[in-house]
Amino acid sequence: MSHKVTPSMQSLKSLPADYRFDGSPVSDRLESSSGSSVGLTNSSIPRKGGLRNGVSPSDNATAGDSEDSPYSRHCVSVEEQSLTDDVDPGSATMPLPQSDERRWSDTSAYARKKILQSWFQLPNGNWELGKILSTSGEESVISLPEGKVIKVISETLVPANPDILDGVDDLMQLSYLNEPSVLYNLNYRYNQDMIYTKAGPVLVAVNPFKEVPLYGNRYVEAYRKRSNESPHVYAIADTAIREMIRDEVNQSIIISGESGAGKTETAKIAMQYLAALGGGSGIEYEILKTNPILEAFGNAKTLRNDNSSRFGKLIEIHFSESGKISGAQVQTFLLEKSRVVQCAEGERSYHIFYQLCAGASSELREKLNLTSADEYKYLGQSNCYSINGVDDAERFHTVKEALDIVHVSKEDQESVFAMLAAVLWLGNVSFTVIDNENHVEPVADESLSTVAKLIGCNINELKLSLSKRNMRVGKDTIVQKLTLPQAIDARDALAKSIYSCLFDWLVEQINKSLAVGKRRTGRSISILDIYGFESFDLQLLSGLQFAITSLNSDNYRNFRIFLANELVTVVEIVKNSFEQFCINYANERLQQHFNRHLFKLEQEEYIQDGIDWTRVDFEDNQHCLSLFEKKPLGLLSLLDEESTFPNGTDLTLANKLKQHLHSNSCFRGDREKLFTVEHYAGEVTYDTTGFLEKNRDLLHLDSIQLLSSCSCHLPQVFASSMLIQSEKPVVGPLYKAGGADSQRLSVATKFKGQLFQLMQRLGNTTPHFIRCIKPNNLQSPGLYEQGLVLQQLRCCGVLEVVRISRSGFPTRMSHQKFARRYGFLLVENIADKDPLSVSVAILHQFNILPEMYQVGYTKLFFRTGQIGVLEDTRNRTLHGILRVQSSFRGYQARRRLKELKMGISVLQTFIRGERIRKEFAELRRRHRAAATIQSQVKSKIARQQYKGITDASVVIQTAIRGWLVRRCSGDIGWLKSEGTKTNEAGEVLVKATVLSELQRRVLKAEAALREKEEENDILQQRLQQYENRWSEYETKMKSMEEIWQKQMRSLQSSLSIAKKSLAVEDSARNSDASVNASDATDWDSSSNHFRSQTSNGGGSRQQQPMSAGLSVIGRLAEEFEQRAQVFGDDAKFLVEVKSGQVEANLNPDRELRRLKQMFETWKKDYGGRLRETKLILSKLGSEEGSGSMEKVKRKWWGRRNSTRY
């Protein structure tokens, strides 16, 4: 669907051919091929495939103009580009007709008549984007996205922004700042995982309930270098640390939102960025490790959030002069102590209890007498013990590591765990009635004894403190026995006090670990993670309760009882109690701080540009704060006053408030215990049930004395802290009943004091605001509930920011940008005018009312919706220009295409002709070559076939002719006797038979010849294989024969040397001896005889053993020669067998291996006998003592030893 051109636009003349539009980023590359230049390009309009939200693509603003758009993220930047950097917008003259004055003076009428998209609120409260089809009087016909057409009152329609503004990262860029536009923009960005959006100075963070890729070192580095300007927590933290260093002013980051909105995670992300930029000293790691400790002891699972912070905290991070973190300090506010002893169905107490039960070691479990979580009454009353996806045991180890890092000793850690176990066991302490007046005393069971052991007190003293109360009346002390409700209250009060003091002690230890000390420089960034406005709708529940009580009929009795019980349960869960009362009071203070800071920023910018800032309407919430803080008739004062009365009840408190505050415009009394306060974010109805008890938060003096008497360190510290608080000056009446003056300051008074201190600290800093939004109550990613988000936007003050901005001049644009963007709409020449004059001329030409804009020194300030009028005219003008451009460029493109086609056809003709000619020449050459080859091959084949046929014919003819000759010569007589016809017929028959027989034999001979040739080839292959094997065997035999010959020669040389040496020795003895020697028959007898005659001496006794030695050596030599001859003959025979010279029925290879084995065995045996002979001769040589003989023997055996077989 395209725009209908108005009559005022029909006379629009074309722009000059040399005109360039400066707003288009592609204006520098618009030269056409024909040499003409056109000012605007078709690419400036975003291409969308079809209708989107009922609007055609022609309704959209140009995508290329976004950087100069008043809605862009840079529209309020102080740094402006010079107009001289761009083409002068006054270089073109474009006549425009005069516009109707009423058209520009009444923007609401324009919105109804000309805007095609509007928001329509459905009966369920959600907003739907509709397309206006027609308008008649005060009624309009709109079409919804699902195709439904309805008629509505025009006044109920809310104008929608153009599609170009979809997903802008700053809500201030929206032309129409209304609730549905804000909701739609947040939803648009949320669906694309862009969870951060700016609303002026406020960062809106929508909880994605999943991991989004927006964090990590890469993003930290990008925001540190400012290469990424998208809204982010990193950007807020980076701005804070830069302003702190530049201005030397402390900064604060205020994070608020309801439970489950992501405040805790946002605070951790901000701390991580500050630690990354200011790290280096190591203290930043300790600061980050405080988060697991505070989450374990201060967070719990609620129906709205699995990790809900049940306290507020302020983390003040100190920096050195160089910008590095030097320390930190943690301050907490309003811990929800009642959660220790009471949990709603489906919720959990504080995480640390479940982590302790799941992750404690066996040694610690035995020491603390721990059991499973479901066995403790404080934890079991909600029937919820775990969280999906959370490992409590693993978290417990993380908490222990964090305690080590913040320097909490092991002994103190064990004491902390003992106090936690004591609180759990206190819930299991039961009571028994001892008399008729319902007085009770604790049952002396395992629970009571374990509590006494863990806190280090006497069990009897513990029983007395839980069952009796000492009251001082004058100088006397009266002992009062407690009833069952009083005893249970005393037990629960002791448990809550122990846990609250333990939490405060842990925060104190963390602050000691992170203490700045001498490193303090005064520069700090405070991160405030505090609860946002909380409001539960009680009106509907109250109406249902009233309706139920009105059912008096007996038929409805059972149904009425059932509904009443169920309703009581629901009211207990969703009622606005004392915690919401204090939380909303704190948020009223923070909202006032926020409003005043925002108004101050607006005021400074207006004064800086010379704007009449008194036009900005600002509404303060001081009336609501006075309702809380006014004395003596304020909510807090009346609450403290009623808390001092012993007989005061929640109902008397409600009646007192209604009596004294009924005239206040921000207060309204309801029935029974309900009253309503009108906060800036809306009305909240409170139920006074439990107000007085929670405000008193009493712990009697008996319990404090019990803790002070304990042997353990921590209970004594807790008691000392309580006594110090009781000695502080008291404001207002004292509550002296029952010795309960141990805590004179009420919870509301202490919280008010803490809040004033907090506001004083924040007042000395430059604040940065982050509002966290929960998109749905199911904690499901991708689900966006409009009603829930809208309520939080109101409560967090985001819509208040929009309201303040809308009441002033939210749209701001520099003179240069305004002139560059809208200057071409002027009907007169603007070439020689400055940007301010061009801007004023544009405003006058379109008759924009003076109260709708302000002209500043550097910027133009517009009220809501004024820029939208100019933007719509500009877009339609650009669409008209683009239609002309598209037609002209289409003609140019078609003409150029025709020329190109003609040129391409000519080129293709030449190229194809040349290519075909080359291909034809190549084919002709290949054809000729193929023909030549074929002729040669065919002629050769024909010659071979002809020769074969000729040879065969000659053979056949020879055989036939020979046979015929022989046949004719043998039967010549018969031939003569027969007649002529008979002879001729027989001769022809014989010739045919012989010829067929000869042909058959020839074929058979050829087949046999082929078989013989194949067998010959096979035999030749086998012969070749045998020859190869024989050469290998012959080589092996030659190598073996050479080895044996060498060994034989070695043995022969050794024996010859031995014979010669013995012969020399024998001749020497014969020449020297003078006595005949007796014959010796063998070697053993001669050696024995030699040993028996040792003492007689003489040559004869020495000659006999030597003769025996010669005989032994001779026998060895003969054996050697015989064996050598045998082995040599056998080896030679096997070689002849293997070579085929001798035929034998044996395997030569196997016999050769066996011969080698026999030779090795004989060689080993022969060597052993030679060594034995050497040993005997050595002994003989030593007995003779002859020097010459010894030398000869050594010489011979030395030679023998040098020889190796």
Side-chain angles (χ1 to χ4, degrees), residues 569-836:
T569 304
V570 174
V571 170
E572 287 295 326
I573 295 177
V574 302
K575 68 180 180 181
N576 297 308
S577 187
F578 180 74
E579 289 80 9
Q580 283 71 37
F581 179 79
C582 295
I583 287 171
N584 292 344
Y585 165 56
N587 275 272
E588 283 289 347
R589 267 291 169 194
L590 291 173
Q591 183 63 28
Q592 186 184 55
H593 178 70
F594 169 72
N595 290 343
R596 291 180 177 178
H597 173 72
L598 177 64
F599 179 72
K600 183 179 179 181
L601 292 180
E602 293 279 320
Q603 174 184 345
E604 288 178 354
E605 186 166 4
Y606 292 159
I607 293 176
Q608 183 179 358
D609 254 78
I611 299 301
D612 185 9
W613 59 272
T614 56
R615 293 179 182 271
V616 179
D617 185 20
F618 173 68
E619 180 180 353
D620 200 359
N621 61 342
Q622 185 59 46
H623 294 293
C624 186
L625 286 174
S626 299
L627 174 65
F628 277 88
E629 299 171 353
K630 186 178 179 180
K631 294 181 180 180
L633 297 179
L635 286 174
L636 298 178
S637 299
L638 293 175
L639 175 61
D640 286 344
E641 179 182 346
E642 190 67 18
S643 299
T644 58
F645 297 136
N647 297 327
T649 62
D650 297 328
L651 183 59
T652 59
L653 171 63
N655 293 332
K656 178 178 287 189
L657 296 179
K658 297 172 188 177
Q659 177 183 357
H660 292 88
L661 301 176
H662 67 279
S663 60
N664 195 302
S665 59
C666 296
F667 179 87
R668 186 180 74 248
D670 293 329
R671 17 177 227 90
E672 296 183 355
K673 300 180 183 180
L674 304 180
F675 68 93
T676 301
V677 175
E678 184 178 354
H679 294 278
Y680 83 94
E683 293 185 352
V684 180
T685 300
Y686 298 98
D687 187 346
T688 58
T689 302
F691 263 53
L692 295 181
E693 179 184 356
K694 294 177 181 179
N695 186 47
R696 291 166 181 167
D697 192 25
L698 298 179
L699 182 65
H700 292 279
L701 190 60
D702 297 335
S703 299
I704 299 177
Q705 292 177 351
L706 173 68
L707 295 177
S708 62
S709 65
C710 294
S711 59
C712 295
H713 171 64
L714 285 183
Q716 296 177 1
V717 174
F718 299 162
S720 176
S721 175
M722 294 177 191
L723 291 175
I724 292 175
Q725 292 181 3
S726 65
E727 295 175 359
K728 292 181 180 179
V730 181
V731 180
L734 297 180
Y735 176 54
K736 300 181 180 179
D741 55 346
S742 58
Q743 288 182 320
R744 304 176 185 179
L745 293 179
S746 65
V747 172
T749 302
K750 289 189 290 185
F751 181 69
K752 179 181 177 182
Q754 289 179 334
L755 187 59
F756 271 96
Q757 293 178 2
L758 173 64
M759 299 311 301
Q760 185 177 3
R761 293 173 65 176
L762 294 180
N764 297 327
T765 64
T766 300
H768 306 269
F769 297 94
I770 301 177
R771 304 305 201 198
C772 297
I773 303 297
K774 182 170 66 172
N776 60 81
N777 285 322
L778 301 178
Q779 304 179 29
S780 174
L783 182 60
Y784 187 88
E785 298 178 4
Q786 289 188 11
L788 179 63
V789 174
L790 180 61
Q791 177 191 1
Q792 295 175 79
L793 291 175
R794 291 170 178 169
C795 294
C796 290
V798 174
L799 296 182
E800 182 70 10
V801 175
V802 175
R803 187 190 65 81
I804 293 176
S805 299
R806 186 171 57 233
S807 63
F809 301 91
T811 306
R812 300 154 196 185
M813 191 183 304
S814 66
H815 302 157
Q816 290 85 354
K817 285 186 177 181
F818 189 80
R820 186 167 61 247
R821 187 168 182 82
Y822 304 108
F824 73 96
L825 297 176
L826 287 175
V827 296
E828 58 185 12
N829 191 359
I830 58 174
D832 300 330
K833 293 185 178 180
D834 60 285
L836 178 59

Side-chain angles (χ1 to χ4, degrees), residues 1117-1184:
E1118 293 176 359
E1119 182 182 357
F1120 177 80
E1121 292 176 352
Q1122 293 175 0
R1123 287 289 185 177
Q1125 183 66 28
V1126 171
F1127 286 127
D1129 295 339
D1130 292 342
K1132 184 177 181 181
F1133 173 75
L1134 291 176
V1135 171
E1136 292 176 349
V1137 171
K1138 188 171 185 66
S1139 62
Q1141 299 176 4
V1142 179
E1143 294 183 358
N1145 189 14
L1146 53 83
N1147 189 348
D1149 294 334
R1150 185 174 60 190
E1151 293 298 329
L1152 185 60
R1153 287 195 296 270
R1154 190 171 63 83
L1155 180 62
K1156 182 179 178 182
Q1157 185 177 5
M1158 292 172 58
F1159 174 78
E1160 293 293 338
T1161 304
W1162 171 79
K1163 184 175 67 172
K1164 183 176 181 182
D1165 178 72
Y1166 188 80
R1169 283 184 285 165
L1170 281 178
R1171 285 192 295 272
E1172 183 178 0
T1173 304
K1174 176 183 176 182
L1175 181 61
I1176 295 173
L1177 293 177
S1178 297
K1179 291 181 180 179
L1180 291 176
S1182 61
E1183 290 174 355
E1184 289 174 353

Side-chain angles (χ1 to χ4, degrees), residues 874-887:
R874 176 182 179 273
N875 291 339
R876 285 186 292 168
T877 303
L878 293 181
H879 282 298
I881 295 172
L882 291 177
R883 291 190 188 98
V884 177
Q885 285 183 339
S886 63
S887 300

Side-chain angles (χ1 to χ4, degrees), residues 331-380:
Q331 182 181 0
T332 60
F333 309 96
L334 195 65
L335 177 69
E336 187 183 8
K337 295 190 290 186
S338 60
R339 184 166 292 273
V340 176
V341 299
Q342 184 179 3
C343 291
E345 185 76 18
E347 297 187 347
R348 293 206 321 176
S349 185
Y350 291 102
H351 294 325
I352 188 62
F353 292 122
Y354 306 91
Q355 294 172 2
L356 177 64
C357 294
S361 61
S362 57
E363 181 181 357
L364 181 61
R365 187 178 298 275
E366 182 179 357
K367 185 175 182 179
L368 303 181
N369 195 21
L370 280 177
T371 60
S372 58
D374 55 356
E375 296 188 15
Y376 294 107
K377 293 182 180 179
Y378 281 162
L379 306 183

